[in-house]
Amino acid sequence: MSGKSDKGDGMIDLIIDDRECRAPRGSTILEVCRAHGIDVPTLCYDERLAPYGGCRLCLVEVEGARGLLPACTTEAEEGMVVRTSTEQVESARRTSLELLVSDHPMACTGCSKSGNCELQRLAKRYGIEESRYKGEKHEYPVLRDNPFILRDYNKCILCARCIRICREVQGVGVYDFVNRGFAAVPGTPYDRPMVETPCEFCGQCISTCPTGALTARPFEERERVWKREMARSACAHFGVSLDEMMEALGVEGWKVRTTCPYCGCGCQLDLSVLDNRVVEVSSPVMVGPGQGNLCIKGRFGQDFIASSDRLTTPLIRRDGEFVEASWEEAIEHVTTRLREIRDRSGPDALAVLASARITNEENYMLQKFARAVLGTRNIDHCARLCHAPSVAGLAQTFGSGAMTNSIDDLEEADAVLIIGSNTTETHPIIALRLKKAVMEHDCKIIVADARRIRMCYFADKWLRQRPGTDVALINGMMNVIIEEGLFDREFIESRTEGFEDLKKAVAEYTPERAAEITGVDADLIREAARTFATAERAAIVYAMGITQHTTGTDNVIALADLAMLTGNIGREGTGVNPLRGQNNVQGACDMGALPNVFSGYQSVTDPEASRKFARAWGVESLPQQVGLTVTEMMDAALRGEVKGMYIVGENPMMSDPDIRHVEEALRSLDLLVVQDIFMTETARLADVVLPAASYAEKEGTFTNTDRRVQRVRKAVEPPGDARSDLRIIADIAEALGYSMPAREAEEVFREMASLTPSYAGITYERLDAGETIHWPCPEEGHPGTPILHKEKFTRGKGAFIPVEYKPPAEEPDDRYPLVMTTGRVLEQYHTGTMTRRVPGINEIDPANRVWISREDAEAMGISDGDLVRVSTRRGDIEAEARVTRKMPGGLIFIPFHYSESPANRLTVGRIDPVSKIPEFKVAAAAVSLVRKSAGGNGSGNGSGEGRPGGGE
């Protein structure tokens, strides 16, 4: 080894197999080989993991070294000469493989991993059918102790990839080696079943396992179909992968790359398809936001696509009952009734709800339909119920209401304030980036949450503020930063305005006053402020624990003030980052599915913008008044002002506050049309139900939480007569006399991009080529903008806006002595219409629970598992008690996914005056015992303590 230095550009030159290779300094030999297309076999290597050097298959010769070196752990050096396939190297590899095969069942055609097994391919490559080494073989029982992960340790090669990925990536550590020597095997603590461990059922262990030791149970039976119909024996015989076999056989579309339909992370999925059915789900390694990692919903939550509950034909209510109808009948019925209402009461008697679950193209088309075809100003969607304050607050302070930085950036932060976000449950893949920042370079996490959420275990500081006191907490931190001179004076002077007003306002919020309001110790507020302000790069991450308040916009503004005060805007590892709750809530907002803007946030009240869209859409004029929001639509329906609603992919009978009020409003309509993939709680009230295609059955794009635009691709045909939302909207428009010239997804995207400056440079061609593009992307060839506000804010200078603490709209009293908050749990999604149709998820999370502290439970005589009643001023529900140390006294938490015990029967309808978001996070409540459980003991040490969970 020469030891020569690099050329000063951070690159080194070396020789591998007589080829000149160039690579960044710090690369391993294996990384250099792979970058230059030189094949070096491995079994313990995964790009997501730290090099391990356990399998010894990547051994190489290095000139000057005394022996063979593992390429995965040996750093490449300037002038190094490497040989990867000499006789000595190949002999060593063959010996290692034979030792592995000596204790491995070789009946490959009976294994579900056959064709995708790394050991099988290497054995075929080296001509190994059986081992020369004879001896004792392991015999382990096959473990099926949970609905998702099958463990067959007879096929384990002790590569430790499952152990390492659970520790290094997931940050959980369910697995470790148990026993010693020949008896060593990965296992759970004390051999407990997986459901009794902290396992989050992400399936990362399955994704990294090189053999059939860990496989997905939901696909187990389907794999047998594959073996019969897709000739896995041929894969074994020829030593090729199943992917290669499918390509050789000319089988097209059997694996389709698309984007996950759940939270806003935007993970990339590979859907494997057989006979028009998704039979397996995986994720490409080091691609997209997830980089090959998924959560329980992404990997195992796709069974809803083929659910027998899917809507397959249009339904019209006649004499109080739904009857099947043809599409022609349904469209004629809908258009006739829409015309009648519009002609009789005017276009604003109609209202449209778009959806965060449908594509960008469909949302664009729907807002076009509302404004240009119906002529109504009333269009909104569920962003109103989650991140409307983010749009309003960040638009005022920065000029743009979106996540300022990319998901990738979070790994670069030196400190992160996580407030109002149970990230591991609601955005699990983003949580992995935060955990990585902690584990790999000691990022300091500050968690501000009333509950002991899982991120608290990774936190440097935990601030347990009372719900609804976020402004006081943030103002208290800013008080410390200003008083101690920790603010970024240069940034403030050059890039912001209004600092003196902020300084004056937060002077009143000493740590002691903030402590009195929030319940957080004053010294802890000081420590958190110093940690955040002194970090070179500090980021803020928040979700609906910040926004879903009557002070939601104020909360967001306060966070923007904190970021500007410390100069943490416009750089890697910084920013204000609202985590969007649904797969395309960012895109639905971008597309103009809001009452106040066209696509690209162009104001409907701007005459020039209105004329531009009117010309493009071929109409004389468009409504130039701001329309009604979701909650305002319901109030207007009860007043008789809104008489017809067209709801696409939304379920307000579960997602809106005070759902008894919502039900009264929907029942009062003259016409309710619901377009969805299932008969939702809202669809049951409809006059007409239109069956739509799921995300896996159509083309389009989603825009994830960090403004990354990604493709959605059709993998299977929709069931029965279900159609894409795009086609349905276009058909209804044409029946109303309006021609939609752009009907295919790509055509609609082009039309939208031509009218939307922030999307103008994005094309399907670029996305299909694998480009990562974050808007704004103003022209073709522009790389996109992962980081906003680098040189200047969208509005010019950032605006400091002082905000004062205001108490929640409803506080506890003698009758309702507890505070109730709502949110999500890891296993479920939104209103449950998709996840609650997944058998495995229902097995581990079958019903709702009321999270309650041990002290409150003891005072009420309630034990873990008891049936309890929760009451508020709006109504009551019954659910099982989950007594846990994760909850503070005086606070209960209820997830909102469960129709049999809907949390939103209890929530407050009061709204934020600016963004019009309801206060989901604080309501006064009472809890009473209904029935003792047979096994309840009040310990709180049942599944609730070992399993993840906790909601937002």
Side-chain angles (χ1 to χ4, degrees), residues 217-455:
R217 283 199 67 192
F219 311 128
E220 184 181 7
E221 292 299 323
R222 302 172 200 174
E223 287 282 1
R224 292 175 183 161
V225 176
W226 283 27
K227 286 183 292 186
R228 183 175 66 249
E229 299 194 21
M230 291 301 186
R232 285 190 182 278
S233 59
C235 295
H237 177 76
F238 292 110
V240 298
S241 71
L242 192 57
D243 289 359
E244 292 166 332
M245 177 62 72
M246 293 301 102
E247 183 178 351
L249 293 174
V251 179
E252 295 182 358
W254 88 278
K255 183 174 283 189
V256 178
R257 178 73 48 83
T258 191
T259 302
C260 183
Y262 284 110
C263 79
C265 293
C267 300
Q268 293 297 283
L269 304 181
D270 283 338
L271 303 182
S272 297
V273 177
L274 180 66
D275 293 335
N276 200 45
R277 184 181 176 91
V278 174
V279 293
E280 189 169 16
V281 180
S282 58
S283 185
V285 174
M286 307 312 291
V287 174
Q291 300 189 327
N293 305 305
L294 295 172
C295 72
I296 180 175
K297 297 183 289 294
R299 194 177 305 278
F300 298 119
Q302 307 296 331
D303 282 352
F304 74 89
I305 298 167
S307 170
S308 59
D309 291 343
R310 285 288 301 275
L311 293 169
T312 60
T313 189
L315 302 171
I316 299 175
R317 188 180 298 278
R318 300 190 192 278
D319 299 323
E321 300 294 331
F322 283 122
V323 297
E324 292 186 358
S326 68
W327 273 106
E328 291 74 18
E329 290 175 298
I331 290 173
E332 182 181 1
H333 187 89
V334 169
T335 54
T336 298
R337 299 289 301 279
L338 288 172
R339 276 198 197 96
E340 289 174 355
I341 294 171
R342 184 178 61 183
D343 293 346
R344 183 178 66 245
S345 304
D348 288 338
L350 298 171
V352 177
L353 286 186
S355 176
R357 281 181 261 186
I358 63 177
T359 64
N360 284 325
E361 294 77 4
E362 290 163 338
N363 275 296
Y364 171 82
M365 183 80 91
L366 195 55
Q367 62 94 26
K368 176 181 177 180
F369 171 82
R371 291 172 167 131
V373 182
L374 297 181
T376 183
R377 61 194 175 100
N378 302 323
I379 180 164
D380 203 5
H381 75 289
C382 66
R384 185 68 46 202
L385 309 176
C386 56
H387 274 288
S390 296
V391 175
L394 296 181
Q396 290 181 58
T397 51
F398 299 163
S400 174
M403 191 167 168
T404 63
N405 289 54
S406 72
I407 292 170
D408 301 337
D409 261 12
L410 295 174
E411 293 182 17
E412 307 301 320
D414 299 303
V416 179
L417 171 62
I418 303 173
I419 183 167
S421 166
N422 186 1
T423 323
T424 53
E425 305 253 350
T426 59
H427 298 86
I429 300 306
I430 291 176
L432 300 188
R433 302 300 191 96
L434 295 168
K435 293 176 187 178
K436 184 176 180 180
V438 173
M439 293 186 287
E440 293 197 359
H441 71 266
D442 197 30
C443 172
K444 304 299 182 186
I445 299 286
I446 304 163
V447 170
D449 200 297
R451 290 157 299 115
R452 184 188 288 126
I453 60 174
R454 192 167 285 260
M455 283 307 302

Side-chain angles (χ1 to χ4, degrees), residues 121-180:
R121 288 204 295 270
L122 288 175
K124 182 67 181 177
R125 170 175 166 178
Y126 284 89
I128 299 171
E129 295 184 0
E130 62 179 27
S131 176
R132 293 173 294 169
Y133 303 101
K134 308 298 181 183
E136 182 183 355
K137 289 199 173 198
H138 290 107
E139 289 188 16
Y140 296 108
V142 178
L143 301 175
R144 293 179 173 88
D145 57 8
N146 68 90
F148 299 117
I149 301 171
L150 183 148
R151 293 181 284 158
D152 183 356
Y153 292 136
N154 297 295
K155 300 171 184 174
C156 178
I157 60 171
L158 303 181
C159 65
R161 280 161 68 169
C162 59
I163 296 170
R164 291 150 56 212
I165 204 164
C166 197
R167 286 181 182 172
E168 296 176 23
V169 173
Q170 202 65 21
V172 176
V174 169
Y175 299 108
D176 204 346
F177 282 123
V178 297
N179 306 321
R180 292 284 186 268

